[in-house]
Amino acid sequence: NRAWIEYFAAEGPYRDQLLAEGTGGTSSEGTRLRIAGFRVLSYDGDTARIDLAGEGSTAEGSITFSAVYDLVWQGGDWKVSTDTATPFDFASIPNFVGYVAWGA
């Protein structure tokens, strides 16, 4: 959803590039994603580094993953930093040990 990506991307030198990449023609039909937990890696009031853990599945299979996000407080909300061309760091993980459970 372009409106969500525009809202979530902070002002920064790579914002336009990330918006263009985020609205590419790749279809996500049939893809499912569930956030399972999180870890706060760093926080100073203006910036935060957050590690989200989750599960993703497609027709080809499933994966347990970690996605580290660099966030900045901007316009009264947390937004993903666009100070670098790669604001997300994705990795496959074996399980959710060490993460705070997400949800009820």
Side-chain angles (χ1 to χ4, degrees), residues 24-92:
T26 305
S27 171
S28 61
E29 185 176 331
T31 300
R32 300 293 179 258
L33 177 68
R34 179 182 77 86
I35 302 300
F38 70 96
R39 294 187 303 182
V40 178
L41 303 178
S42 66
Y43 169 80
D44 68 11
D46 294 318
T47 64
R49 189 166 174 85
I50 307 297
D51 183 359
L52 291 179
E55 298 173 313
S57 64
T58 66
E60 289 79 36
S62 62
I63 186 172
T64 303
F65 66 89
S66 161
V68 176
Y69 294 83
D70 289 317
L71 303 176
V72 295
W73 184 256
Q74 194 176 86
D77 203 353
W78 288 105
K79 300 189 180 208
V80 70
S81 173
T82 59
D83 288 343
T84 67
T86 55
F88 311 106
D89 182 18
F90 291 92
S92 177

